[in-house]
Amino acid sequence: MSVETVKCMTPSQVKDMFLYVGDKVMESKPLLTRIDSAIGDGDHGIGMSVGFTKAEENLRANEFTTVNDVFKTVGMSMISSMGGASGIIFGTMFVGGIKGLEPKDSLDLPLLAGIFEKALEAIKLRGKADLGDKTMIDAFQPAVEALKESAAERKSLVEGIRNAESAALQGVESSKDYIAKFGRAKSLGERAIGHQDAGATTVSIIFRAMKESLERPGNE
């Protein structure tokens, strides 16, 4: 079966996907630090690297029989190791959508869209931010909408994630036009215009890495 037609992943495959995602986010630490230094505190890349390092440690130490536990391990690793707003927000990206979810032994596109849709709601509730506030939501919300549209059109898993990656990238570009409403960038006012948000950039890296992971040989 071609990866183009793969409909679902086992918990073990989801674990491998997020190990790959973590590697790519950690490799992006210099890029994220540079982007965040322009208008923020300059520590976003360091924080994300710490969070995914802990996630990798906890993922490798366990085998998983449910998708829920993979997401929970990634999210709780971030919350427990990163600290601060980024730890809570990016941890919620992974744990916010599995709260109350019955144990799932496979991940398909409708389930992924549903998990991230609930996570987006949880992030907005925690952070009080919305689209256009120059935060990670500027990339995450378009990605979630792309996942939902792709699921409704019965796209394959990789097609849905490709569409989400594309939407997240467009969101990163859009974040350059916004005035920040949170963090150090808020004090810069219109001087922050022209700079992309570091959190939104991380979201686009996560979706790009998820896509690349599925496209790797052996994922048929």
Side-chain angles (χ1 to χ4, degrees):
M1 183 183 294
S2 165
V3 68
E4 302 297 330
T5 58
V6 169
K7 293 292 185 183
C8 62
M9 303 171 72
T10 65
S12 178
Q13 289 172 318
V14 178
K15 167 185 167 177
D16 289 343
M17 178 175 72
F18 285 130
L19 284 171
Y20 184 86
V21 167
D23 286 344
K24 295 304 172 185
V25 172
M26 288 186 276
E27 286 176 12
S28 303
K29 183 168 75 171
L31 170 68
L32 294 172
T33 298
R34 186 171 72 248
I35 292 170
D36 193 37
S37 296
I39 56 172
D41 295 327
D43 60 356
H44 181 73
I46 297 168
M48 293 307 305
S49 182
V50 169
F52 271 108
T53 297
K54 188 65 178 177
E56 178 179 355
E57 177 186 325
N58 289 333
L59 285 173
R60 291 196 184 282
N62 294 284
E63 296 300 325
F64 300 91
T65 57
T66 70
V67 171
N68 313 50
D69 285 340
V70 180
F71 275 79
K72 181 179 179 180
T73 297
V74 175
M76 292 309 297
S77 298
M78 292 181 148
I79 291 171
S80 66
S81 64
M82 290 171 65
S86 288
I88 296 294
I89 295 302
F90 276 90
T92 301
M93 180 176 172
F94 293 95
V95 300
I98 58 167
K99 187 176 181 180
L101 182 69
E102 291 184 5
K104 302 291 184 183
D105 61 7
S106 66
L107 179 70
D108 59 15
L109 184 55
L111 178 59
L112 180 63
I115 288 174
F116 278 155
E117 182 180 19
K118 279 188 66 180
L120 176 63
E121 293 171 0
I123 289 168
K124 286 185 170 183
L125 191 63
R126 278 184 176 275
K128 312 298 183 190
D130 209 336
L131 196 66
D133 287 346
K134 212 175 185 79
T135 72
M136 60 88 77
I137 289 173
D138 294 333
F140 192 41
Q141 182 163 322
V144 170
E145 290 171 354
L147 286 174
K148 290 167 58 182
E149 289 172 9
S150 299
E153 294 170 358
R154 299 184 181 277
K155 303 281 189 184
S156 69
L157 190 56
V158 71
E159 286 175 321
I161 294 176
R162 281 177 187 149
N163 291 340
E165 181 212 5
S166 178
L169 275 174
Q170 291 176 22
V172 171
E173 285 300 308
S174 296
S175 75
K176 294 177 180 178
D177 298 331
Y178 302 144
I179 295 174
K181 295 185 179 177
F182 296 89
R184 178 172 170 267
K186 178 182 176 182
S187 64
L188 299 178
E190 292 188 354
R191 285 180 292 163
I193 293 176
H195 296 279
Q196 67 196 65
D197 179 70
T201 304
T202 295
V203 170
S204 73
I205 292 169
I206 288 171
F207 278 101
R208 185 184 69 205
M210 289 171 67
K211 179 203 70 175
E212 290 176 353
S213 177
L214 263 67
E215 290 175 338
R216 289 185 297 172
N219 281 331
E220 300 84 10

